[in-house]
């Protein structure tokens, strides 16, 4: 449905009963950015952090509000506890359309929209590990 974005901003899909189950030991680079089904033991989880989704910026010089700017993928530039770079700097505007200044711009946190973000560590089930081997662990976002 190409015009569905006029009705709803986001679509949430739940997929159940994926027929193929991969083991953590068999996951490779080809599985990145794809849907896989694995089983394992959850060994560690982070807290739930906000991740920038729609950004609004204030021009410091003329106080005008710019936006919204859609922030698509920030998983590699997380503003969570282990992220070093600020995501708002990566997507800030280059020029103010009201006063034509080149900044500085400040993220308007009250108007910006966020989504939940969490990292978990998944480990192979003890029964599926070959004898004499150490269980493999993968980080899942």
């Amino acid at each position: 449905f190409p015009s569905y974005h006029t009705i709803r901003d986001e679509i949430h899909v739940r997929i159940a009963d994926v027929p193929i189950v991969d083991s953590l030991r068999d996951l490779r680079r080809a599985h990145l950015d794809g849907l896989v089904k694995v089983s394992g033991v959850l060994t560690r989880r982070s807290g739930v952090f906000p991740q920038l989704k729609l950004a609004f910026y204030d021009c410091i010089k003329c106080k005008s509000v710019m936006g919204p700017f859609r922030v698509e993928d920030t998983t590699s530039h997380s503003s969570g506890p282990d992220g070093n770079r600020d995501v708002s700097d990566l997507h800030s505007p280059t020029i103010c359309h009201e006063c034509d200044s080149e900044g500085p711009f400040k993220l308007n946190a009250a108007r910006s929209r966020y989504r939940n973000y969490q990292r978990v560590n998944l480990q192979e089930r003890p029964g599926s590990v070959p004898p004499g081997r150490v269980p493999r662990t993968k980080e899942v976002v």
Side-chain angles (χ1 to χ4, degrees):
F1 301 104
S3 63
Y4 195 79
H5 71 282
T6 60
I7 301 169
R8 295 286 294 169
D9 189 36
E10 290 184 340
I11 300 172
H12 298 277
V13 178
R14 179 174 294 176
I15 299 173
D17 297 328
V18 177
I20 300 171
V21 179
D22 294 314
S23 76
L24 286 178
R25 200 168 283 272
D26 295 334
L27 293 180
R28 300 289 181 253
R29 184 179 300 268
H31 292 95
L32 285 176
D33 294 330
L35 182 65
V36 294
K37 181 178 179 180
V38 294
S39 64
V41 177
L42 192 66
T43 58
R44 181 180 297 168
R45 66 177 173 83
S46 71
V48 178
F49 297 101
Q51 183 182 40
L52 194 58
K53 179 173 137 182
L54 285 175
F56 286 86
Y57 293 91
D58 295 330
C59 176
I60 301 297
K61 293 184 179 176
C62 71
K63 307 291 188 232
S64 69
V65 177
M66 292 171 286
F69 298 100
R70 184 174 294 273
V71 180
E72 292 297 330
D73 181 24
T74 59
T75 55
S76 60
H77 310 293
S78 170
S79 61
D82 55 353
N84 296 330
R85 299 176 66 184
D86 191 5
V87 175
S88 63
D89 292 340
L90 294 173
H91 300 281
S92 65
T94 56
I95 191 166
C96 176
H97 296 292
E98 297 291 325
C99 65
D100 291 330
S101 72
E102 294 181 357
F105 303 106
K106 183 179 179 202
L107 179 69
N108 186 331
R111 291 196 62 187
S112 296
R113 293 182 56 196
Y114 300 88
R115 67 172 68 98
N116 291 335
Y117 176 81
Q118 185 176 31
R119 291 178 182 260
V120 296
N121 284 352
L122 191 65
Q123 189 177 55
E124 288 180 297
R125 289 180 290 116
S128 66
V129 179
R133 298 288 180 114
V134 177
R136 298 246 175 116
T137 302
K138 300 286 182 187
E139 185 179 60
V140 182
V141 177

